[in-house]
Coordinates of all heavy atoms in Angstrom, one line a residue:
A402 N -17.6 6.7 9.4 CA -18.3 7.1 8.3 C -17.4 7.9 7.3 O -17.7 8.0 6.1 CB -19.5 8.1 8.7
Q403 N -16.3 8.4 7.8 CA -15.4 9.2 6.9 C -14.0 9.0 7.5 O -13.7 9.5 8.6 CB -15.8 10.6 6.8 CG -14.9 11.4 5.9 CD -15.4 12.9 5.8 OE1 -16.4 13.2 6.4 NE2 -14.7 13.6 5.0
L404 N -13.1 8.5 6.6 CA -11.7 8.4 7.1 C -10.9 9.7 7.2 O -10.9 10.5 6.2 CB -11.0 7.4 6.2 CG -9.5 7.2 6.4 CD1 -9.3 6.4 7.8 CD2 -8.9 6.4 5.4
K405 N -10.4 10.0 8.4 CA -9.6 11.1 8.6 C -8.2 10.6 9.0 O -8.0 10.0 10.0 CB -10.2 12.1 9.7 CG -11.5 12.7 9.3 CD -12.1 13.5 10.4 CE -13.3 14.2 10.0 NZ -13.9 15.0 11.2
Y406 N -7.3 10.7 8.2 CA -6.0 10.2 8.4 C -5.3 10.7 9.7 O -4.6 9.9 10.4 CB -5.0 10.5 7.3 CG -5.6 10.0 5.9 CD1 -5.8 10.9 4.8 CD2 -5.9 8.6 5.7 CE1 -6.4 10.4 3.7 CE2 -6.4 8.3 4.6 CZ -6.6 9.0 3.5 OH -7.2 8.6 2.4
S407 N -5.6 11.9 10.1 CA -5.1 12.5 11.4 C -5.7 11.7 12.6 O -5.1 11.8 13.7 CB -5.3 13.9 11.4 OG -6.7 14.3 11.4
D408 N -6.8 11.1 12.4 CA -7.5 10.4 13.5 C -6.9 9.0 13.7 O -7.2 8.3 14.7 CB -8.9 10.3 13.3 CG -9.6 11.6 13.4 OD1 -9.1 12.5 14.2 OD2 -10.6 11.9 12.8
L409 N -6.1 8.5 12.7 CA -5.7 7.2 12.8 C -4.3 7.1 13.5 O -3.4 7.9 13.3 CB -5.4 6.6 11.4 CG -5.2 5.0 11.4 CD1 -5.9 4.5 10.2 CD2 -3.7 4.8 11.4
K410 N -4.2 6.3 14.6 CA -3.0 6.2 15.5 C -2.3 4.9 15.3 O -3.0 3.9 15.0 CB -3.4 6.4 16.9 CG -4.3 7.5 17.2 CD -3.6 8.8 17.3 CE -4.5 10.0 17.7 NZ -3.7 11.3 17.8
I411 N -1.0 4.9 15.5 CA -0.4 3.7 15.7 C -0.4 3.2 17.1 O 0.3 3.9 18.0 CB 1.2 3.7 15.2 CG1 1.2 4.1 13.6 CG2 1.9 2.4 15.4 CD1 0.5 3.0 12.8
K412 N -1.1 2.1 17.4 CA -1.1 1.6 18.7 C -0.2 0.4 18.8 O 0.0 -0.3 17.8 CB -2.5 1.2 19.1 CG -3.5 2.4 19.2 CD -3.4 3.1 20.5 CE -4.5 4.2 20.7 NZ -4.3 4.9 22.0
L413 N 0.2 0.0 20.0 CA 1.0 -1.1 20.2 C 0.2 -2.1 21.0 O -0.2 -1.8 22.2 CB 2.3 -0.8 20.9 CG 3.2 0.3 20.2 CD1 4.4 0.6 21.1 CD2 3.6 -0.1 18.8

Side-chain angles (χ1 to χ4, degrees):
Q403 184 176 358
L404 178 61
K405 296 180 180 178
Y406 304 119
S407 60
D408 292 331
L409 193 143
K410 310 280 186 181
I411 297 299
K412 295 283 189 178
L413 303 179

